Every structure is written in C-alpha cells, then in structure tokens.
C-alpha cells in the first residue's frame, strides 16, 4: 500500500487540521481550516477537495462537528448567525434545520447519532433546559422532557442500537441513570 497526501486544503506549511470525517453521497465530508473561511465544512471526492459551505460567512468559523448521515441527509452541529444549532445538507443545499432559541442564543446542539432514520441529539432550549431532541431534517421534536423545568436532564453518551437509542440522563429523584428511546417512547 502507498500512503500519499490526499489534499493540501490549506496550501503550504500551515495546517488545515481536518477532523470529523463522514462519508456521504459519494464524498468524504470533514471540518477543516483555511485563512479565508475559518473552520468550515469541506468535502472531497478523492481527487478534488472543496469548501462545501461557509456556514459562518467570512473568516469566522462555524466549527462543524458531530457529522452523522441518515439516508439522503448529512446532519451536523455548527455555529452560525443564530448560535450553535442543528444543520443538514443533502449534498447540494446546506441549511439550519431550526433555531431552537430564536436569535443569537445557541441551543448547543451536540452528540448527534442516527437511529431509525432520524438524527437524535442533545440541545438546550430555554423552557426545558438540556434534553433529548430528534429531527427528520425538516423539523425538530423534543423526544422527552425527562427533567421538567429549565434545568433539563443533561442527556449524554448517546448510543444507537437499531431503532432504539440508549443514553444517560439526570433526574433528582433517581440521579444519573440509563434511558432508552425507541418506537414505544422514552423510558428509564
């Protein structure tokens, strides 16, 4: 086997620091850095590497991460003019799915995993705090308000197993415990 440079995204000695690799639609998507765009979403077909979308326009960075593919959509978390939110692309158009906290306040979208064709993720919304959400790419749904109120249950460690999702979450009466979400709903 031969090892070779696939792409010098940021030409010269400066690094582009490519990370968050995800195969989707015949391309390899990644987060990479250039002086002109900052840290943004790039893609390569193995021969040509291009900036796919400058989500946070100009030299400011969107810091895309948690790339996850579901069918004909690639989901990611990124910083934009509305803060850190859930974004999706079909390989051509890239757009924020929904601004959970309208305006510049972030929902801090994190830990995107795919289960049953949906993207599940942790996000913070002002009225429920940090909870488990899902998206089909068109809309966002609160899966369960495990800890009612503004504090939230702080779900973590999301793991998809078929059509079920396992994760940890906190409630004062039980502490941090294992939860499952699937076709029958979310349960302790």
């Amino acid at each position: 086997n031969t090892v070779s440079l696939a792409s010098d995204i940021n030409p010269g000695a400066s690094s582009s620091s490519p990370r968050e690799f995800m195969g989707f639609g015949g391309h390899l998507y990644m987060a990479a850095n250039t002086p002109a765009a900052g840290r943004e979403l790039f893609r390569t077909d193995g021969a040509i590497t291009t900036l796919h979308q400058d989500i946070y326009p100009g030299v400011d960075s969107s810091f895309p991460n948690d790339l996850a593919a579901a069918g004909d959509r690639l989901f990611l978390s990124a910083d934009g003019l509305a803060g850190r939110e859930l974004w999706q692309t079909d390989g051509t158009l890239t757009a924020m799915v929904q601004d959970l906290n309208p305006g510049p306040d972030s929902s801090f979208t994190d830990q995107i995993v795919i289960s049953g064709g949906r993207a599940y993720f942790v996000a913070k919304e002002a009225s429920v705090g940090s909870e488990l959400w899902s998206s089909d790419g068109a809309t966002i749904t609160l899966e369960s308000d495990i800890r009612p109120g503004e504090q939230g249950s702080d779900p973590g460690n999301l793991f998809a197993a078929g059509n079920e999702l396992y994760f940890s979450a906190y409630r004062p009466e039980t502490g941090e415990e294992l939860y499952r979400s699937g076709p029958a709903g979310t349960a302790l």
Side-chain angles (χ1 to χ4, degrees):
N1 290 339
T2 303
V3 176
S4 63
L5 179 66
S7 182
D8 191 3
I9 298 168
N10 190 12
S14 295
S15 176
S16 66
S17 301
R19 304 274 190 283
E20 302 287 334
F21 302 112
M22 177 57 63
F24 173 72
H27 291 86
L28 178 67
Y29 285 77
M30 72 202 85
N33 192 55
T34 66
R39 188 158 197 77
E40 292 294 343
L41 186 63
F42 284 77
R43 76 178 189 178
T44 185
D45 61 6
I48 299 171
T49 302
T50 58
L51 174 65
H52 177 68
Q53 179 77 37
D54 191 358
I55 293 170
Y56 205 118
V59 297
D60 291 326
S61 297
S62 69
F63 299 102
N65 68 3
D66 291 325
L67 280 64
D72 63 352
R73 296 180 192 274
L74 177 69
F75 292 92
L76 60 138
S77 174
D79 290 331
L81 298 175
R84 187 156 207 80
E85 299 291 343
L86 181 69
W87 290 70
Q88 63 89 23
T89 184
D90 61 5
T92 304
L93 300 173
T94 302
M96 181 174 53
V97 177
Q98 182 180 331
D99 188 359
L100 278 179
N101 290 308
D105 291 339
S106 293
S107 71
F108 302 102
T109 300
D110 192 21
Q111 303 183 52
I112 303 169
V113 298
I114 305 303
S115 178
R118 293 183 68 82
Y120 289 83
F121 57 96
V122 176
K124 185 175 184 177
E125 192 270 336
S127 66
V128 298
S130 180
E131 291 290 355
L132 180 68
W133 299 77
S134 73
S135 178
D136 60 3
T139 60
I140 291 177
T141 303
L142 175 64
E143 283 299 305
S144 182
D145 191 1
I146 295 169
R147 182 180 182 192
E150 297 174 0
Q151 296 225 325
S153 65
D154 292 322
N157 307 298
L158 278 62
F159 179 79
N163 286 334
E164 293 190 319
L165 181 75
Y166 292 87
F167 59 97
S168 60
Y170 175 82
R171 288 176 35 192
E173 56 273 15
T174 61
E176 185 175 14
E177 294 295 343
L178 178 65
Y179 283 78
R180 178 181 66 226
S181 181
T186 301
L188 176 64

